[in-house]
Amino acid sequence: MGTGRLYAAVAAGGFRRYATYRAATAAGVFTNTVFGFILAYTYIALWAEKPHLGGYDEAQALTYVWFGQAMFAVMVLGSNGFEAELIERIRTGDIAIDLYRPVDLQGWWLAADTGRALFQLLGRGVVPMACGALFFDLALPADLLTWVAAFVAIALGTVVSFAIRYVVALCTFWLMDGAGAMQLTWLSGMFFSGMLLPLNVFPGALGDVARVLPWSALLQAPADVLMGEADPLGTFAFQAAWAVVLLAAGRLIQSAATRRVVVQGG
């Protein structure tokens, strides 16, 4: 099997793996939809007091809410993805088996996470977004080109999300337990991605810093592309730059960590 076909098979396996959890998917859709309504009415009250807060009108603010709920599982903004399994394999020493596979470790997990992200986009992203559009006046694009640009930004965002979590998971080689690091990453991601509030609302230097951190590539950047508030090419360059930097960092950490792997117990 060629390398491309192998990674495609791994991605397809990741898609099928998450597709088997139908009850969990339904529960996730329900939860994201309920939180969407809660946040939507909160934003309506907030924007009634502060019109055009962060440069958004009310329709854009509501679009941001529902887009965030659609991206919640895709970008792994509040739960675990592949990194929980990778951390456990490093902790138990099973990572040694992975290193013997005739395939790149980083590429394998990236392909698997790509399949997961695609399923979450279709399985948990479409329904909340459609529900929001049904009950609220959203600022959705009317032209196909903007939708295509938004999907490209989403794809680049998933790569950045993977790269962040891969780097953190590899820290388990030294920490022996990556749970604390993942919790810190989860909290940072929730705040700096704009999941709680759009980064445009953040004041002064905090907003300036938040918008250049990699987490902004996960939600704020694709949301602005969807609503026509950002230049797509500039956004793609920003996301791609962080993807390259973080993937390269993961590669260096992987090389340092696996240069001499000591498996506990033997």
Side-chain angles (χ1 to χ4, degrees), residues 26-251:
V29 169
F30 176 78
T31 302
N32 289 137
T33 303
V34 169
F35 271 98
F37 277 102
I38 294 172
L39 288 173
Y41 285 112
T42 302
Y43 274 42
I44 288 173
L46 180 58
W47 257 256
E49 293 294 324
K50 297 284 187 179
H52 299 284
L53 181 63
Y56 291 160
D57 59 28
E58 184 179 288
Q60 290 175 314
L62 291 173
T63 304
Y64 188 92
V65 167
W66 289 103
F67 184 76
Q69 292 305 307
M71 292 297 103
F72 186 79
V74 176
M75 301 297 179
V76 196
L77 294 174
S79 60
N80 290 325
F82 78 93
E83 63 277 8
E85 181 179 354
L86 179 56
I87 286 172
E88 182 64 15
R89 294 186 71 81
I90 295 172
R91 190 185 67 80
T92 62
D94 289 340
I95 191 67
I97 300 173
D98 300 336
L99 294 173
Y100 273 109
R101 290 174 179 161
V103 65
D104 179 67
L105 182 69
Q106 188 182 51
W108 174 282
W109 287 106
L110 175 58
D113 196 60
T114 300
R116 175 209 60 79
L118 180 58
F119 172 77
Q120 298 290 21
L121 178 63
L122 299 175
R124 286 186 59 174
V126 173
V127 173
M129 195 71 185
C131 188
L134 181 63
F135 287 94
F136 299 92
D137 181 22
L138 303 186
L140 296 176
D143 59 298
L144 180 61
L145 189 60
T146 303
W147 281 105
V148 172
F151 282 121
V152 173
I154 290 170
L156 289 170
T158 61
V159 177
V160 176
S161 172
F162 163 82
I164 293 171
R165 290 176 288 126
Y166 188 74
V167 166
V168 175
L170 290 183
C171 293
T172 309
F173 277 107
W174 291 273
L175 300 176
M176 300 310 298
D177 188 348
M182 283 311 308
Q183 286 292 327
L184 183 60
T185 302
W186 174 72
L187 292 172
S188 300
M190 285 286 288
F191 186 77
F192 287 112
S193 69
M195 190 67 202
L196 301 179
L197 275 175
L199 300 183
N200 299 343
V201 177
F202 287 19
L206 177 61
D208 294 337
V209 171
R211 283 189 289 272
V212 299
L213 292 176
W215 290 285
S216 67
L218 311 187
L219 178 55
Q220 184 71 57
D224 281 339
V225 170
L226 178 69
M227 294 186 291
E229 289 292 315
D231 171 45
L233 294 181
T235 301
F236 299 160
F238 170 75
Q239 292 176 298
W242 269 119
V244 170
V245 168
L246 291 168
L247 288 173
R251 177 71 61 183

